[in-house]
Amino acid sequence: MKRAHLYVLAAALTAIALAIFLYKYVVFGFPLAPEERTEIWRVEVRLQFEAEKGPVKAAMFIPSRTGRLIIVDQSFVSPGYGITTEPQPGQGIKAAYSIRDATGLQAVYYRAVIQPSRVAEQEARDSTPKLAPPELQGPRLAAAQAVIESARRQSSDASTLAAIIVKLLKTARPESEESFLLGPQPTNRRLVVV
C-alpha cells in the first residue's frame, strides 16, 4: 500500500510540473529550445521636476494592456512618496505619486517588463461590498488616528489620502496599527472589526 501512495504522489507532482510548464509556454511564450529567444522589453520612466515648498502630486498613465502586449512585472520607486494606482476607462492605469511637503529637485521612477501575450484578455471584477461605517473608541480610535497620520505624510490631497489609507490596510504588517484595526483574519468583505 505504501508503494502505491508513492506512485500516486509522483504522478501528481509530475502532472503539476507539466501543467506549470505548459502554462508558461502557452501564456507567457517561454522558449523551449536553448537558442530560441522571446520578445521581452524593459521600460523605465524617470519623472523629474522641481518642487516648491508644499504638497506635490505627480501622475502618469501606464497602459494595462496594449493589443497583445502585457505588463509582466512592474515596480514604483519614490522615496517618501505615496503611490496610488487607479484604472482609467480607455486610458490604462493612472499612477499618482504624492507627498505632503517637498522642496527642490524631485525624481520618481517606474519600471515595467513587457512581453507579448498569447491569451485573449478577460475582465473580471469583484462586487463592491457594502459596509457600515465603524464607530471607533479607545485603542481602536488611537490606531486609526496613527494610520491616518502616517498616510497624511505621503498624500497631497483627499483622494490620495484615501487611496494610501486603503493601501496601508491592504499591506498591514503583524503588530502594526493597521493590523490591529483589521482584527483577526481580515477579508475583503470585512475591513474593520467593531
Side-chain angles (χ1 to χ4, degrees):
M1 194 63 160
K2 290 183 181 180
R3 188 170 288 262
H5 287 174
L6 179 64
Y7 290 137
V8 170
L9 179 63
L13 290 175
T14 303
I16 291 170
L18 284 173
I20 291 171
F21 169 78
L22 288 174
Y23 180 79
K24 287 183 176 183
Y25 175 71
V26 172
V27 175
F28 294 123
F30 280 22
L32 295 179
E35 299 297 320
E36 191 177 346
R37 294 183 181 256
T38 186
E39 294 181 67
I40 295 179
W41 296 276
R42 182 182 306 258
V43 177
E44 296 182 4
V45 176
R46 177 177 155 192
L47 185 60
Q48 186 173 348
F49 54 92
E50 190 75 29
E52 298 177 4
K53 183 135 180 80
V56 172
K57 184 176 181 181
M60 71 172 77
F61 285 96
I62 303 162
S64 57
R65 186 177 180 124
T66 307
R68 289 191 48 220
L69 300 177
I70 59 170
I71 297 174
V72 177
D73 185 31
Q74 62 184 354
S75 58
F76 301 88
V77 178
S78 56
Y81 280 78
I83 302 163
T84 59
T85 57
E86 179 182 344
Q88 299 289 317
Q91 296 178 337
I93 298 171
K94 179 181 176 183
Y97 298 85
S98 60
I99 192 167
R100 184 64 61 177
D101 189 30
T103 306
L105 188 63
Q106 305 288 310
V108 294
Y109 303 91
Y110 170 75
R111 183 179 68 197
V113 176
I114 301 171
Q115 72 179 40
S117 173
R118 295 182 179 188
V119 178
E121 182 175 5
Q122 296 178 354
E123 297 239 353
R125 294 188 168 245
D126 290 341
S127 61
T128 305
K130 298 192 189 282
L131 300 172
E135 294 181 21
L136 303 175
Q137 299 174 11
R140 291 198 186 280
L141 180 61
Q145 289 171 340
V147 170
I148 291 170
E149 188 55 39
S150 174
R152 189 182 309 274
R153 286 191 298 271
Q154 298 179 7
S155 67
S156 62
D157 57 13
S159 65
T160 56
L161 176 66
I164 290 172
I165 289 172
V166 169
K167 183 178 177 183
L168 287 173
L169 291 173
K170 286 173 99 175
T171 60
R173 297 179 323 275
E175 307 301 324
S176 67
E177 288 88 1
E178 297 89 355
S179 180
F180 178 72
L181 284 173
L182 292 172
Q185 302 175 348
T187 68
N188 64 347
R189 301 237 181 251
R190 179 183 53 84
L191 292 178
V192 179
V193 177
V194 180

